[in-house]
Every structure is written in C-alpha cells, then in structure tokens.
Amino acid sequence: MNPRWLLRLYPLAWRRRYEEEVASLLEERHSSLDWLDVALGALDARLRPQVPNVTGEGRTRMPQVIASGVVLAAVLIFAVINNREEPASLELGERHGTLSKDGEHYLVDGQVVDAGPDWYITRTAASTDYDGDGAVESVAIELDGLVGMTVTLGVEDGPGGESSLFIINGQNYRNTDGGRPPWAGGPHANQSSN
Amino acid sequence: VEVKEVSKDVPDLGRFSEPALFVLISLADGAKHGYAMMEDIATVSGVRVGPGTLYGALARLERHGLIEPLAPVDRRRPYRLTAAGTTLLRERLTSLERSASVGLRRLATP
C-alpha cells in the first residue's frame, strides 16, 4: 500500500509546497520504514512548522497534533507487525555422509544434526517414507531406519555447533520459510495433531 | 572565538542538521531531485534517509535560503545550492575536517 494518505497529516502550507514531490517519490520506493519516516515527518512539521503560513491555517492546533500522534502509533504497530511477519531468510548448508546415532543424537560425520525434541520426533508421524521401508512411521523411526546409510541433509548451522535439520535426501522435513519450528507450541499443543 | 562566530551564522536545523548536511553535500556537485538525493546520500555517506526526513531537511534549508528549487521536470523538482548554502557547506566541512584531524591525531598518540 502506498503511504500517500499519510501526507494528509502534514500542514496545508507544507502540502501545497511539497506534497506532489513526495508523492512522486513514494511511488518509486516505499517500505514500512518509509511509512514511519513520513509519519514522523508530519508530526515534526506540525510541532515545528517548516513552511511559513500565509493563511494562518497551519498554526499548530492540538486536535491535529493528537491525530498525528494516533496515526503515528498506528504506523508503529503496523511496522512492528510487518517486521515480525517477515521470516528470516535461511541459509541452508548440505551435509553428506553416513547417518549415525549416539544416544538421542543423530550425527553425520561426527556432527550433531538436530531433528527436534525427543517428544516431537517420537510422537509425530513423518510426512513421507524417508527410509524407504514401505511404511510412513514416526520421525524417530524413519531416522533410525536411515542410520548406517549415506544421506544428504539440508541443515542450518547453529552457533553451538549443532545443525538444525530441514531437508532429508531432497525431501522437506521442516518448512524452509524460516518460520517457527513445528514443535514450538510444546508437547501439549502438538498432541492434537497426532 | 572563531567557533562562536561560525555557529552564530549557522541556522538552527534542529534534529535535521545531519540530514541537512548530507543534502548540502549531495547538491555540491549539481542540482538533484529528491529521489536522486536519497540514492546519492546512501552511496556517499552510507546513510538511508527516508522521505519524511529528507523533505523536513529540504523545507528547512529552503526556508533558510541555503537551497533553491528549480522548475519541476515531470513531477520531480530539482534543487540546487544557493551562494549562502555553498558558503555554509564549506564552513561546516572545514570545521568537521579540523575536528576529524584532531581526533585522528589523538587516537594515533599512544
């Protein structure tokens, strides 16, 4: 959405002088930050007039300042929500090697690959037959079926040396859109889907 | 004494003093319209100036007679430095250069 409507928050004298130029500029580029910047500019123009008023209409009037503040708050909320909805882009790496298991941990070439909490992988049905045994079982059983086999995994490297599992042999295990993991709601939230 | 004389001649541009300086630097090599200024400032100074901030600075600079508008091309209006704007920019940059060299000299001293 073009934030041109925000220009109505500016004093009339300012709009007469600059509105068309700024509107033209906003048609070329506009982002959430531009919305916020234009709203802040409108507030500033009302509190500290930048263009001389010929008619006196632009004298700072309290209702207009309040209206500007309300819109500013709305834009702030919009910007926060908008930024939260934008998922972080993933940088997936590839692990190719033999899958092994050490206790609860799965490893490829000695590096831990995190498939999620134990309660999740044991209770959740896999989305496909990863180990090719003809049956779609829980994630844990599917992964166990791949132990000792050569696998190619898509992973995101974490700061602690662990890698989060996203792709198993070319098939998605987790959404790669960077959203929350499927176990984010905890074991109770997940039980209803099993 | 010299600093006081310069600051007396410098208009108060409030919180827009830094964007205003970026605008003056952007116009130092010729007239530009708003979008070109934003692109130039991002390239030269590495600072992203939004439309509201840019036009707040432009309005103040124009009011102080430091820049002037030219005839619009389509809906874009270019601006250029006035003689007063050129003088002010030269004074500000000279002052900043002096401060920067003192700061760098002090940093270099063990």
Side-chain angles (χ1 to χ4, degrees):
Chain A
M1 185 157 51
N2 191 309
R4 178 169 182 161
W5 60 270
L6 281 173
L7 296 176
R8 295 186 180 197
L9 293 172
Y10 281 83
L12 190 57
W14 192 99
R15 289 176 61 192
R16 284 183 181 142
R17 174 65 188 81
Y18 297 108
E19 184 173 9
E20 273 309 301
E21 290 175 50
V22 181
S24 163
L25 198 155
L26 288 172
E27 284 168 14
E28 295 188 65
R29 48 161 269 177
H30 49 88
S31 65
S32 304
L33 286 176
D34 286 342
W35 281 54
L36 192 61
D37 190 70
V38 169
L40 282 170
L43 201 61
D44 184 67
R46 289 205 171 273
L47 295 173
R48 300 190 305 167
Q50 303 150 4
V51 179
N53 301 307
V54 179
T55 63
E57 65 74 35
R59 194 177 60 215
T60 304
R61 285 179 289 171
M62 200 46 66
Q64 289 175 327
V65 173
I66 293 169
S68 301
V70 169
V71 174
L72 174 62
V75 171
L76 270 168
I77 292 166
F78 171 85
V80 168
I81 291 171
N82 198 41
N83 284 337
R84 283 181 60 186
E85 282 178 350
E86 284 175 13
S89 59
L90 284 176
E91 289 185 21
L92 292 183
E94 193 175 280
R95 292 274 184 284
H96 183 75
T98 305
L99 187 71
S100 59
K101 192 175 182 185
D102 180 10
E104 291 179 2
H105 301 295
Y106 294 94
L107 304 95
V108 172
D109 290 342
Q111 282 195 297
V112 174
V113 177
D114 181 23
D118 193 48
W119 64 261
Y120 176 79
I121 62 172
T122 54
R123 294 182 196 174
T124 308
S127 57
T128 189
D129 180 17
Y130 292 116
D131 62 1
D133 66 356
V136 178
E137 300 146 305
S138 70
V139 171
I141 294 175
E142 291 290 340
L143 288 172
D144 288 343
L146 288 169
V147 170
M149 297 172 68
T150 301
V151 293
T152 302
L153 307 178
V155 297
E156 184 189 35
D157 291 328
E162 284 194 355
S163 301
S164 298
L165 179 61
F166 280 83
I167 297 170
I168 302 170
N169 291 331
Q171 292 175 302
N172 274 12
Y173 170 61
R174 275 176 58 183
N175 282 338
T176 55
D177 61 9
R180 283 148 51 97
W183 55 83
H188 299 297
N190 214 58
Q191 277 173 346
S192 58
S193 63
N194 292 334
Chain B
V1 175
E2 190 184 353
V3 172
K4 280 183 182 172
E5 283 173 356
V6 170
S7 63
K8 198 170 65 178
D9 294 332
V10 175
D12 175 24
L13 296 169
R15 79 177 182 90
F16 286 88
S17 58
E18 193 177 54
L21 182 62
F22 290 145
V23 167
L24 293 176
I25 292 171
S26 180
L27 296 180
D29 66 348
K32 290 183 185 66
H33 54 69
Y35 186 80
M37 276 185 248
M38 288 164 84
E39 295 291 307
D40 185 60
I41 291 168
T43 304
V44 173
S45 308
V47 174
R48 185 186 185 281
V49 176
T53 304
L54 178 74
Y55 273 85
L58 285 177
R60 286 182 168 88
L61 289 169
E62 188 180 348
R63 189 174 185 177
H64 286 292
L66 301 173
I67 63 171
E68 61 188 0
L70 301 174
V73 181
D74 296 328
R75 291 162 66 204
R76 295 166 157 187
R77 185 187 291 277
Y79 293 82
R80 72 179 170 200
L81 287 182
T82 61
T86 305
T87 303
L88 180 104
L89 178 61
R90 186 168 284 117
E91 285 175 357
R92 279 276 173 97
L93 293 179
T94 304
S95 167
L96 285 172
E97 190 177 39
R98 204 162 46 231
S99 302
S101 55
V102 169
L104 289 170
R105 226 176 16 247
R106 287 177 178 174
L107 280 174
T109 307

